[in-house]
Amino acid sequence: MIQLRTLLFCFCMPAFLFAMPSNVALHDYNSLSKVNLRTNDKDAKSLLFYFGSKVKTSKATIIKNALPYDSKLGYGFDVNSASNVDMNANSFSITKPTYFSVKVPEGNYQIEVVLGNADNASNVTIKAESRRLMLREFPIEKGQKVTKTFNVNVRNIKIDDKTNISLKDREKEIFNWDDKLTIEFLGEVTVQSIQITPKDNLTVVYLAGDSTVTDQDVEPWASWGQFITSYFDDTVVVANYAYSGSSLSSFKAANRLKKILSQIKKGDYLFVEFGHNDEKIKGAGNGPWESYSDLLTEFVQSAKDKGAIPVLVTPTQRRFFNENGTLKATHGEFPDAMRAVAQKNNIALIDITKMTTTLYEAWGDEVSRKAFVQYPANTFLGQEKALDDNTHFNSFGANEIALCVLKGIRELDIPLLKQIKKETPDYNPNQPNYISSWTLLMSARFEIAKPDGN
């Protein structure tokens, strides 16, 4: 399978608009002040960046030129996007996908971005790390100054002096596992300042799951875990440890559960969604009512022992229809096994299997394709064969699944429901949204190869 990263591609549907960074120009670093990046202490101060050729302040790091990211300096415009940046008197402006990165330690951070321009209106989309959606197409009027706040989890593979998380080779290059915090700006954007503040008092929603949950690092793939981020208020941060191709047993063997348990605290959440890959494990002792049920019980009990709140999420359906328009049940007894574990152990359950069955059937066979990575050949540059995936979502589909999960949260008696943003709409899988009403700018990084798992 051809693998392409960071390339220009053309897409016919207006819901996804994209422009590719051009070559990076050389910049003068001499006028740039350095920033103290030591933020491990509880009393650590914010990292504050002001942008503009005429900005004067002693309270922040002033960035007067569009410098590329430099690991020694510890900040800058990343992914060859510095040449997209127009530096103004007291801000920078972009019209192409642009990345700004800052080297920070592992932790949870609250980001405050001051946006707006005296001369032009803006329409701003912000993603963080591996395409976690933080702000979707937010309009700002000419002359308006707006501050937007969102939370980002930054992590590394280290658990203790002797133990690390095991990463797949494909994961070693993604934003989620590098040593910096990356913010991606899309649209017509003007940024005046960025403030990054360590936060250790946030409610953390940990996600354990497979490719239908993980932060998909590159277009056109997407999962609900990276879209639910935009629907929680500023008291919540999502820490998504899911990865493509994982099962309960491989997730545990890779030390991801151990990493979560080393950090999870009272009042946090552990959402657990597995099934797609557990179904493929054969042999004695495996199956829905044996190893799968036993490991689910271990995961949720481990979270409870830490004072956290576990939530089981049954697996999303695959898009396979019967001739009569109903959906095939490809997960066998695995959803029933999860339901039984939840009932036996008095664990909160969100039945996404049932909701996605209703959702896909409401759309129908043909319309439901628009929620998945299904595109004819030559939709993207270098894509010689059609993409025909019935498991993995595009951004529209991932957002619909995130809305299903939010519906499930609202139906549970857990405090997290009060931390969903008030403006988040109610959702009914019987009356789903359609891609004709969905727009989201595509990120600049792309790959044809499908994620692991099916």
Side-chain angles (χ1 to χ4, degrees):
M1 181 69 74
I2 299 173
Q3 296 191 24
L4 301 172
R5 286 184 180 267
T6 317
L7 42 80
L8 173 65
F9 60 92
C10 300
F11 192 43
C12 299
M13 298 181 64
F16 302 96
L17 305 174
F18 167 87
M20 177 62 199
S22 56
N23 293 332
V24 179
L26 295 176
H27 298 276
D28 179 12
Y29 288 25
N30 295 332
S31 62
L32 297 167
S33 58
K34 293 188 177 181
V35 63
N36 180 5
L37 295 173
R38 299 177 62 186
T39 58
N40 281 313
D41 299 332
K42 289 185 178 180
D43 296 330
K45 296 181 179 179
S46 300
L47 306 179
L48 180 56
F49 298 90
Y50 280 2
F51 300 89
S53 58
K54 296 183 179 179
V55 174
K56 294 182 180 180
T57 179
S58 60
K59 298 179 179 180
T61 296
I62 302 173
I63 298 181
K64 296 181 179 293
N65 300 302
L67 73 157
Y69 178 80
D70 181 285
S71 59
K72 294 181 180 179
L73 190 62
Y75 56 88
F77 293 96
D78 214 342
V79 197
N80 295 338
S81 65
S83 59
N84 297 338
V85 177
D86 290 326
M87 199 62 66
N88 310 313
N90 62 351
S91 62
F92 74 83
S93 298
I94 59 101
T95 58
K96 297 179 181 180
T98 299
Y99 301 80
F100 184 76
S101 294
V102 181
K103 184 179 288 188
V104 296
E106 179 176 74
N108 297 315
Y109 294 88
Q110 190 159 91
I111 318 299
E112 291 186 10
V113 182
V114 178
L115 305 159
N117 189 311
D119 301 318
N120 300 295
S122 302
N123 193 289
V124 183
T125 293
I126 298 177
K127 304 175 188 178
E129 295 290 89
S130 289
R131 295 173 52 232
R132 305 173 206 167
L133 185 62
M134 299 297 164
L135 185 67
R136 177 185 163 221
E137 298 189 343
F138 183 80
I140 302 175
E141 296 179 1
K142 175 182 175 180
Q144 187 179 13
K145 181 178 179 179
V146 175
T147 300
K148 301 304 291 186
T149 302
F150 53 90
N151 299 327
V152 178
N153 171 261
V154 177
R155 57 183 175 272
N156 58 45
I157 63 172
K158 188 177 180 63
I159 300 173
D160 55 40
D161 291 339
K162 297 181 180 179
T163 314
N164 292 332
I165 287 177
S166 298
L167 298 180
K168 287 190 170 184
D169 287 342
R170 283 178 68 168
E171 292 184 282
K172 294 175 182 178
E173 298 179 359
I174 71 175
F175 283 149
N176 273 358
W177 295 108
D178 60 19
D179 61 353
K180 56 196 176 186
L181 189 163
T182 299
I183 304 169
E184 177 184 0
F185 297 97
L186 301 104
E188 297 179 352
V189 183
T190 298
V191 180
Q192 298 183 26
S193 67
I194 299 173
Q195 182 168 297
I196 302 172
T197 305
K199 288 282 185 178
D200 58 8
N201 61 344
L202 300 173
T203 299
V204 185
V205 177
Y206 292 89
L207 304 183
D210 52 33
S211 59
T212 65
V213 184
T214 191
D215 294 337
Q216 296 290 356
D217 191 58
V218 290
E219 301 281 4
W221 319 92
S223 298
W224 68 259
Q226 63 198 132
F227 277 78
I228 204 167
T229 48
S230 67
Y231 292 110
F232 291 119
D233 65 24
D234 61 7
T235 67
V236 175
V237 68
V238 176
N240 191 348
Y241 282 82
Y243 70 100
S244 297
S246 65
S247 63
L248 282 161
S249 57
S250 66
F251 190 94
K252 179 183 176 182
N255 289 325
R256 299 196 184 218
L257 178 61
K258 187 172 184 178
K259 173 76 171 186
I260 291 172
L261 295 176
S262 72
Q263 296 188 339
I264 201 168
K265 64 184 184 300
K266 183 178 180 180
D268 288 342
Y269 293 82
L270 175 61
F271 280 60
V272 181
E273 182 193 320
F274 290 94
H276 284 79
N277 303 302
D278 305 77
E279 300 161 14
K280 305 166 191 173
I281 302 174
K282 308 300 181 183
N286 294 307
W289 304 105
E290 296 175 275
S291 62
Y292 182 74
S293 293
D294 291 343
L295 283 166
L296 282 176
T297 302
E298 179 183 343
F299 275 51
V300 298
Q301 187 58 51
S302 297
K304 288 175 70 175
D305 290 345
K306 292 285 188 175
I309 301 169
V311 179
L312 291 176
V313 182
T314 59
T316 57
Q317 283 283 31
R318 299 181 179 94
R319 200 202 68 83
F320 289 111
F321 280 84
N322 297 306
E323 291 184 359
N324 64 359
T326 60
L327 204 67
K328 294 180 179 179
T330 64
H331 292 306
E333 295 182 328
F334 282 83
D336 283 338
M338 182 179 282
R339 294 172 190 129
V341 169
Q343 184 174 18
K344 180 180 179 180
N345 296 278
N346 193 28
I347 300 299
L349 177 84
I350 299 176
D351 204 330
I352 290 298
T353 306
K354 286 185 176 179
M355 275 196 261
T356 50
T357 299
T358 300
L359 174 63
Y360 302 167
E361 290 178 354
W363 276 325
D365 188 355
E366 194 60 34
V367 174
S368 63
R369 295 178 183 275
K370 302 296 184 181
F372 290 80
V373 179
Q374 296 205 5
Y375 305 110
N378 301 312
T379 301
F380 309 112
L381 183 66
Q383 179 213 345
E384 297 178 356
K385 296 181 179 180
L387 294 173
D388 187 15
D389 194 316
N390 289 298
T391 299
H392 300 109
F393 311 105
N394 58 25
S395 65
F396 165 67
N399 188 69
E400 291 292 290
I401 307 304
L403 291 172
C404 286
V405 175
L406 291 164
K407 172 180 170 61
I409 293 171
R410 283 171 160 162
E411 293 173 350
L412 293 173
D413 185 20
I414 56 176
L416 188 62
L417 68 90
K418 296 180 181 179
Q419 294 167 286
I420 298 172
K421 290 179 180 176
K422 294 180 180 180
E423 62 268 26
T424 300
D426 292 330
Y427 187 77
N428 182 355
N430 275 303
Q431 298 175 335
N433 299 308
Y434 289 83
I435 198 168
S436 58
S437 63
W438 171 259
T439 55
L440 179 67
L441 292 170
M442 268 191 163
S443 298
R445 299 163 64 248
F446 169 78
E447 184 172 275
I448 292 175
K450 68 178 293 186
D452 296 333
N454 184 26

